[in-house]
Amino acid sequence: MTADQPRARASRRFSLGSMIAYLAWLIGQVIAGSVTVARRALTPGAFAEPSIVAFPLRCETDLEVTWMASSITITPGTLVVGTAHGSDTEPVTVFVHSVFDQDRESVREGLREMEERLLRMTRGPRWQEYEDRTDHGGRKTG
């Protein structure tokens, strides 16, 4: 055990402040999604531009995966239609149906932002710093 391991573990703690920030951001996403759905429903012409995107997660725990899938599903215009179990070499993957965005990369960018905020909440504000220094088993890489 090295001197910096306790500090690294401390950076992976749940953050109440980040949880409040995440929930406020998520509520904003739900409101924005609702406005988009209402506007599209009331605008003549094409309503939907659907796509399905495979998105590999950095979420590792059941709680993180469940929270991410739930966050996606409660956001109007998106729905998790399936998951692929992860393994030691492959991450859990969610398959997301987006009603209003044919540009799959833009859907992935939105999902990345959601996941970043979620992991900041569950692992602490410095979770990326910890991830950069360790592999997925928590072992120091460099």
Side-chain angles (χ1 to χ4, degrees):
M1 183 180 286
T2 63
D4 66 331
Q5 280 182 327
R7 213 174 314 133
R9 281 192 195 126
S11 69
R12 287 189 68 127
R13 279 189 277 174
F14 180 82
S15 168
L16 183 60
S18 293
M19 182 179 93
I20 292 168
Y22 179 76
L23 292 175
W25 175 82
L26 186 59
I27 289 167
Q29 294 302 300
V30 169
I31 291 168
S34 298
V35 169
T36 300
V37 169
R39 187 185 52 193
R40 291 281 187 111
L42 297 172
T43 302
F47 173 72
E49 298 168 346
S51 65
I52 294 181
V53 174
F55 185 72
L57 296 174
R58 290 175 291 172
C59 297
E60 294 174 349
T61 67
D62 289 343
L63 176 66
E64 290 173 344
V65 172
T66 301
W67 202 316
M68 181 69 179
S70 297
S71 295
I72 293 167
T73 299
I74 67 168
T75 305
T78 58
L79 175 69
V80 173
V81 293
T83 60
H85 293 283
S87 67
D88 289 339
T89 58
E90 293 182 20
V92 172
T93 299
V94 292
F95 297 91
V96 179
H97 179 263
S98 175
V99 177
F100 301 116
D101 203 345
Q102 283 184 321
D103 178 19
R104 290 187 171 115
E105 192 51 41
S106 128
V107 174
R108 284 186 191 97
E109 286 173 18
L111 294 171
R112 272 187 216 104
E113 180 182 6
M114 180 179 279
E115 187 180 38
E116 294 272 337
R117 290 171 181 269
L118 176 82
L119 294 176
R120 197 175 308 132
M121 174 187 66
T122 60
R123 298 180 185 179
R126 294 174 44 198
W127 75 271
Q128 286 177 315
E129 190 176 296
Y130 176 76
E131 287 287 312
D132 292 342
R133 290 193 323 251
T134 61
D135 64 11
H136 287 285
R139 293 175 294 271
K140 189 173 178 182
T141 58

